[in-house]
Amino acid sequence: MMKIARLLVGLLSCGLLAGCAVGPKYRRPAVQTPATFRSTAAESQQQTQAASYADLPWWQVFQDPKLQELIRTALKQNYDLRLTTERINAARAQVAVTRSSLFPQVAANANFNGGKDGATQFRHNFLNLVGDAAFQLDLFGRLRRATEAARAELLATEDARQTVILTLVGDLASDYFTLLQLDLQLQITRETVKTQTDSVKLTQLRLDRGVATKLDVLQAQQVLDTANAQVPDLERAIAQEENAISILLGDYPHDIARGLPLVEQALPPQVPPGLPSSIIERRPDIREAEQILIASNAEVGVAKAQFFPQIALTGSGGGSFGRSSAFSSLMASQIGIWSYGAQVSQPIFTGGALRGNLRLARSENQQALIAYQQTIQRAFGDVSDALIGYEKLHQVRLRQQDTVADLEETVRISTLRYKGGTTTYLEVLDGQRSLYGAQLTLASARGDEYRSLVQLYKALGGGWQQ
């Protein structure tokens, strides 16, 4: 029994002198990351650059004034972003609630009563004032660890907001470029409809004159019908894309103003990814995962501190002030009271609850560690996919551009040959049909290239620094 008492005194002395907090101190875990981002471009395998494309603010990356206006509106009105802002306010309030346990808790009570006794006819009026104070000594750091966990959760919530901003900017830019792509395809289709309408009329006239065949008319009509069928489908897609952008803006569906057409949108001459190690600091989802890890590490300390005594100091003071006629005359009365004390609570037998709680905290800490490592791994996968995607889609667009140029020349030559009487109109129609399809494919390739650029910017963690 004496040994236990001495041990308890020693532990209390350690807590009082050193203010020790049980539980592991957080240290950022070492995570092995690649020296370079995987890419198919030869130059990206050379020495990496410290500067990254993601270091640019979004208004320098997306230079279309209308797109910039849409992004600014979304950052003010988007409902997901507003919800995360309120979650930050709630987390900040939770920190204040948790931290309050580190300070003395003081309360005051007042009670006034008076009256006249029916039997004795005595009268009295008394005011009772009582003040209570309680202070829990955090000798083993339970309250400090809980506060540390709450602060980490607050920071995680703030990083979650940055993730929402990153996703919002990326989604809005991608949808905007998709809208411009659909506009370009609709423009190509309408121009094709107009051209083929004239071709059908001309072919019909030539048929009437006996210099064209019925097959020529049918072929021209087929190209026209194909283009006509595309118009309502593209108009549907445009309207639905505008609705999607409207929702991101935090508004009801409405028309979306356009800026520069897709073919005039700026593309960077190069997109340096920067140092791979910097992605850990730049991407908010990685930072969020680390703050969750910090919070779970602190919760291990909270669980450990439950094994040790909890000591609270209490004090009370007050008095009664008033007058009473209990004696021969009305007399004044003042009575002062005060008290103090200490309470010690030490778990002895809990049926394994404390050990189970510690194992639970350690397991959740390991889960958070695994999630942190997995988030980093996925981030590198995102960057690699985006780099490869942008490089290859850029090549696809260039080659498709050459294909369109070749087909335009083919149609021009076929038209001259037809006018010179050295070929049939069917050759011209075949060339126009192929050109129409290639132009639509080129418009889609342009849209894919811009969307892949947005995806790369997002994967690198750019766009949320405001």
Side-chain angles (χ1 to χ4, degrees):
M1 194 69 179
M2 290 296 295
K3 292 182 179 180
I4 297 177
R6 290 173 182 173
L7 177 62
L8 181 60
V9 170
L11 291 174
L12 293 178
S13 300
C14 171
L16 289 171
L17 293 175
C20 58
V22 297
K25 292 184 178 180
Y26 176 77
R27 292 180 178 84
R28 175 179 286 181
V31 180
Q32 296 295 327
T33 58
T36 59
F37 293 112
R38 186 190 179 202
S39 173
T40 59
E43 58 272 15
S44 66
Q45 302 300 329
Q46 300 173 1
Q47 184 178 1
T48 56
Q49 301 178 3
S52 173
Y53 182 62
D55 292 332
L56 297 174
W58 58 261
W59 55 87
Q60 292 183 16
V61 174
F62 309 120
Q63 300 178 14
D64 187 320
K66 289 297 182 182
L67 177 55
Q68 292 179 357
E69 182 181 341
L70 291 173
I71 292 176
R72 290 190 179 95
T73 301
L75 292 176
K76 293 178 181 177
Q77 300 180 179
N78 180 265
Y79 281 101
D80 289 335
L81 189 54
R82 289 164 62 185
L83 280 173
T84 57
T85 301
E86 284 305 315
R87 291 191 183 107
I88 291 175
N89 294 334
R92 188 174 290 115
Q94 185 60 51
V95 171
V97 172
T98 305
R99 185 171 177 267
S100 66
S101 300
L102 294 170
F103 300 95
Q105 308 296 306
V106 181
N109 297 289
N111 179 35
F112 176 78
N113 61 81
K116 178 181 178 180
D117 186 272
T120 63
Q121 299 298 306
F122 293 151
R123 290 176 295 167
H124 66 277
N125 292 285
F126 282 104
L127 173 64
N128 300 316
L129 298 177
V130 179
D132 297 312
F135 178 54
Q136 189 166 354
L137 298 179
D138 192 28
L139 300 181
F140 304 100
R142 181 177 64 87
L143 301 179
R144 279 171 286 161
R145 291 297 191 193
T147 303
E148 179 184 347
R151 283 176 177 154
E153 289 169 356
L154 168 61
L155 294 176
T157 307
E158 292 176 344
D159 288 325
R161 181 179 183 274
Q162 308 303 348
T163 301
V164 172
I165 292 176
L166 175 64
T167 303
L168 177 60
V169 171
D171 289 350
L172 188 54
S174 293
D175 287 352
Y176 183 76
F177 288 130
T178 299
L179 184 60
L180 296 185
Q181 172 197 320
L182 294 171
D183 286 343
L184 179 57
Q185 290 177 323
L186 182 59
Q187 177 187 346
I188 293 170
T189 301
R190 284 175 173 169
E191 290 174 353
T192 301
V193 168
K194 182 179 179 181
T195 301
Q196 291 305 313
T197 299
D198 295 337
S199 296
V200 169
K201 292 179 180 178
L202 178 60
T203 307
Q204 186 63 49
L205 288 175
R206 295 179 64 83
L207 175 63
D208 295 341
R209 295 173 185 174
V211 292
T213 65
K214 183 65 174 177
L215 181 60
D216 292 337
V217 177
L218 291 175
Q219 290 286 348
Q221 187 65 48
Q222 182 181 3
V223 176
L224 175 61
D225 291 342
T226 300
N228 267 324
Q230 289 288 328
V231 172
D233 191 51
L234 288 170
E235 291 175 338
R236 172 198 58 79
I238 287 173
Q240 291 178 344
E241 199 65 43
E242 288 180 320
N243 291 346
I245 293 176
S246 300
I247 297 302
L248 289 177
L249 297 178
D251 203 351
Y252 293 100
H254 59 78
D255 295 339
I256 300 299
R258 275 73 149 177
L260 299 173
L262 187 63
V263 295
E264 297 180 18
Q265 293 289 328
L267 282 171
Q270 59 177 353
V271 283
L275 295 174
S277 57
S278 64
I279 195 174
I280 296 177
E281 299 296 337
R282 191 186 300 112
R283 279 192 46 144
D285 58 337
I286 297 178
R287 295 158 63 94
E288 178 187 0
E290 184 178 12
Q291 292 301 329
I292 293 174
L293 176 60
I294 293 173
S296 66
N297 183 79
E299 290 293 348
V300 173
V302 173
K304 280 189 174 183
Q306 299 285 356
F307 286 88
F308 296 93
Q310 298 182 21
I311 303 175
L313 303 179
T314 60
S316 179
S320 298
F321 309 89
R323 307 183 72 180
S324 175
S325 61
F327 300 98
S328 58
S329 62
L330 198 65
M331 60 178 293
S333 176
Q334 297 182 8
I335 303 174
I337 58 172
W338 56 270
S339 65
Y340 58 86
Q343 295 179 349
V344 180
S345 175
Q346 169 63 54
I348 297 177
F349 177 75
T350 61
L354 294 181
R355 294 187 181 276
N357 187 51
L358 179 58
R359 287 195 297 269
L360 174 62
R362 285 172 172 167
S363 175
E364 290 176 344
N365 181 240
Q366 286 300 308
Q367 293 176 46
L369 174 60
I370 295 171
Y372 173 67
Q373 295 168 334
Q374 184 182 45
T375 302
I376 295 177
Q377 182 191 57
R378 287 177 175 174
F380 275 84
D382 292 343
V383 174
S384 178
D385 289 346
L387 278 172
I388 295 172
Y390 181 67
E391 292 160 4
K392 293 305 179 183
L393 289 172
H394 176 69
Q395 296 175 12
V396 168
R397 193 261 300 174
L398 292 178
R399 294 178 184 179
Q400 189 62 30
Q401 210 165 272
D402 294 338
T403 300
V404 170
D406 292 341
L407 287 172
E408 287 175 342
E409 182 65 12
T410 299
V411 170
R412 187 186 70 82
I413 294 175
S414 297
T415 303
L416 291 176
R417 285 166 52 83
Y418 170 69
K419 290 181 180 179
T422 58
T423 188
T424 64
Y425 194 61
L426 185 59
E427 182 179 316
V428 178
L429 291 174
D430 286 340
Q432 290 176 339
R433 185 187 299 108
S434 298
L435 176 60
Y436 170 57
Q439 288 174 328
L440 291 180
T441 303
L442 176 58
S444 179
R446 288 184 185 276
D448 290 341
E449 182 180 12
Y450 280 103
R451 284 187 292 271
S452 68
L453 178 65
V454 173
Q455 186 60 35
L456 175 58
Y457 185 59
K458 176 181 175 182
L460 289 170
W464 61 266
Q465 297 92 341
Q466 306 298 320

